[in-house]
Amino acid sequence: MKKDTYFRIVLLFNANKVYDRQVVEGVGEYLQASQCHWDVFIEEDFRTRLDNINHWVCDGIIADFDDPIIAKHLSQSSLAVIGVGGSYHQEENYPPVPYIATDNYALVQHAFLHLKQKGLKHFAFYGLPAKDHPHWSNEREHAFRQLVTSEKYPGIVYNGMDITQENWQHAQNRLSDWIQTLPPQTGIIAVTDARARHLLQVCDNLNINVPEEISIIGIDDEDMTRYLSRIALSSVVQGSRQMGYLAAKLLHQTLEGHVTEKQQRILVPPVKIVERRSTDFHSFNDPTVVQAMHYIYYNACKGIKTEQVLDAVNMSRSNLEQRFKKEIGKTIHTVIYEEKLKRAQNLLATTTLAIQEISVMCGYPSLQYFYSIFKKELGMTPKEFRDE
């Protein structure tokens, strides 16, 4: 039986970033699946360093080609190099190495179609300043402009500022100015989840209802960012792990002499959209219903009753119930009831909080009652729901 050839492989990624980390995880998935004999080097602090790159002793490299310095150093390397990065709309911009790319156009198209299917008619894009920033941000902006033009929708772009702790408040003030120029019921595509969080914070500060007035979707589905805002963020999931897997597979084939095409290129589409509250838009015609729904979302788990909703919108019960029936087809009580249950399901699915604590947080008077509601509505206990 032929013994596997031993190869020394360097991974050049800043694995402190979610995208890079997921690519590295994909490389690991290929190693586990193939059981190839690789000695893999990655910096202990997960940062990227190119010190003495010309004297490295290795057989192959998988590298983040979104970093222009890395791309410059490795494009003409005599080693087996696989580049990983974002796609380009112009062919001549691709690097002269085998390249695994996230499809930037498809990422933005997924986000755009998601917002469009919600019934939105106005669209905007919040990106990064064009100068000295990764090409993928400019590519996503270009894709947005193409999409709104082809669909004959007005499209508004704002790239904002480079944000630091020192200029955070100033940057948020400028972002506030921009958001207030947008027409009601605008869907905003943020270039990353981090930028989407800026939008959510500004809307919260301005008392702009999300998603009733502004709907927001990000790109990355970054867990950490998602938990830093009161409104749960919808996001496009990149195929980052698949990119890492394919990069490792392609490098393995190259090292074994099975790849002859030097400029092989693979575009990886997004995996899916994870829909959360920030794009849970319903095209209600009645502004009072919009106001009432927003109040219910923020207060359903605080034990509110129909009377508190009536007070919040200053309207009689018969009048508001009639409007709810017309717009939603449900009573105010039913909407509160469903919102509490939905929040409980989300906490069970996405956190490790104790079931007792979730019961209290969602406004249920006792754990026994919480269990009875789940059994009645879902045919299972909260624990069984979490296990599934």
Side-chain angles (χ1 to χ4, degrees):
M1 182 174 165
K2 183 182 176 183
K3 187 177 179 181
D4 290 339
T5 307
Y6 170 84
F7 294 112
R8 291 159 297 186
I9 307 300
V10 172
L11 302 183
L12 283 179
F13 291 91
N14 181 355
N16 291 305
K17 298 177 181 177
V18 60
Y19 167 82
D20 293 48
R21 191 163 60 247
Q22 290 173 352
V23 172
V24 171
E25 288 171 2
V27 172
E29 287 174 359
Y30 178 77
L31 295 183
Q32 296 302 312
S34 67
Q35 291 293 295
C36 55
H37 195 190
W38 284 8
D39 181 4
V40 178
F41 174 79
I42 186 169
E43 289 284 355
E44 283 189 272
D45 61 0
F46 298 130
R47 298 187 184 278
T48 301
R49 293 184 177 84
L50 299 176
D51 303 342
N52 301 313
I53 187 172
N54 295 323
H55 302 289
W56 287 359
V57 179
C58 65
D59 301 296
I61 300 172
I62 302 175
D64 176 12
F65 266 56
D66 281 336
D67 185 326
I69 297 175
I70 291 177
K72 180 181 178 181
H73 275 88
L74 296 181
S75 288
Q76 305 301 325
S77 174
S78 59
L79 297 167
V81 174
I82 307 296
V84 175
S87 64
Y88 295 86
H89 69 278
Q90 293 182 312
E91 288 289 317
E92 60 269 24
N93 289 331
Y94 279 99
V97 300
Y99 192 70
I100 312 294
T102 186
D103 191 333
N104 283 312
Y105 183 89
L107 287 172
V108 178
Q109 184 182 46
H110 269 57
F112 175 74
L113 292 177
H114 174 71
L115 295 174
K116 182 182 171 187
Q117 286 162 4
K118 291 292 181 179
L120 293 161
K121 298 289 190 288
H122 305 282
F123 302 94
F125 182 86
Y126 177 41
L128 292 165
K131 186 180 179 183
D132 299 326
H133 268 281
H135 73 89
W136 49 261
S137 177
N138 299 331
E139 292 292 334
R140 290 174 191 178
E141 179 185 331
H142 178 81
F144 173 78
R145 293 183 185 277
Q146 276 192 313
L147 285 161
V148 292
T149 300
S150 65
E151 297 275 351
K152 295 183 171 55
Y153 286 107
I156 305 166
V157 173
Y158 178 70
N159 287 324
M161 310 166 53
D162 282 322
I163 297 177
T164 64
Q165 195 279 329
E166 288 77 15
N167 73 357
W168 168 247
Q169 191 56 58
H170 176 68
Q172 290 297 85
N173 290 342
R174 301 290 73 75
L175 186 56
S176 297
D177 294 339
W178 176 68
I179 284 180
Q180 291 177 87
T181 68
L182 300 176
Q185 300 186 353
T186 291
I188 307 178
I189 300 170
V191 70
T192 62
D193 283 354
R195 288 259 147 171
R197 189 177 69 82
H198 303 166
L199 296 167
L200 289 172
Q201 187 63 56
V202 165
C203 287
D204 199 20
N205 293 341
L206 294 173
N207 294 318
I208 293 174
N209 297 336
V210 176
E212 293 84 0
E213 296 176 74
I214 297 288
S215 293
I216 299 167
I217 186 168
I219 296 173
D220 280 334
D221 196 37
E222 162 64 273
D223 284 344
M224 182 181 72
T225 302
R226 172 156 51 93
Y227 288 118
L228 295 179
S229 303
R230 289 206 297 165
I231 295 285
L233 177 66
S234 297
S235 191
V236 186
V237 181
Q238 296 196 62
S240 312
R241 286 183 178 83
Q242 186 184 5
M243 292 170 68
Y245 186 96
L246 291 173
K249 182 178 181 180
L250 185 56
L251 179 59
H252 193 191
Q253 292 172 340
T254 302
L255 293 171
E256 296 283 1
H258 302 313
V259 175
T260 56
E261 187 180 344
K262 290 187 177 180
Q263 299 207 12
Q264 186 169 349
R265 187 183 310 139
I266 301 172
L267 259 63
V268 178
V271 176
K272 61 181 178 179
I273 284 179
V274 179
E275 180 180 350
R276 301 188 182 93
R277 174 66 183 168
S278 71
T279 59
D280 189 18
F281 173 79
H282 301 278
S283 185
F284 299 133
N285 295 314
D286 191 327
T288 305
V289 172
V290 170
Q291 185 184 353
M293 289 294 291
H294 195 72
Y295 178 83
I296 290 170
Y297 174 76
Y298 276 112
N299 296 284
C301 293
K302 297 177 182 178
I304 62 167
K305 307 293 184 188
T306 300
E307 288 71 28
Q308 281 78 43
V309 181
L310 300 175
D311 291 341
V313 299
N314 193 25
M315 186 169 285
S316 70
R317 182 167 193 145
S318 59
N319 193 347
L320 189 57
E321 289 285 13
Q322 188 177 17
R323 291 171 184 240
F324 261 63
K325 206 72 175 174
K326 181 180 178 182
E327 286 273 17
I328 307 172
K330 299 174 183 177
T331 67
I332 301 168
H333 170 77
T334 300
V335 173
I336 296 171
Y337 178 90
E338 291 178 348
E339 184 59 45
K340 287 172 64 174
L341 185 61
K342 189 190 302 182
R343 190 74 58 86
Q345 288 175 270
N346 180 59
L347 289 172
L348 286 166
T350 63
T351 74
T352 58
L353 292 171
I355 294 175
Q356 169 74 44
E357 188 171 356
I358 291 173
S359 171
V360 173
M361 290 175 68
C362 293
Y364 291 99
S366 70
L367 185 60
Q368 183 181 4
Y369 182 69
F370 184 48
Y371 266 73
S372 69
I373 290 294
F374 255 76
K375 201 73 175 172
K376 174 186 172 185
E377 299 297 338
L378 301 172
M380 65 181 79
T381 67
K383 184 180 185 306
E384 290 168 343
F385 177 85
R386 171 172 272 175
D387 291 342
E388 282 197 0

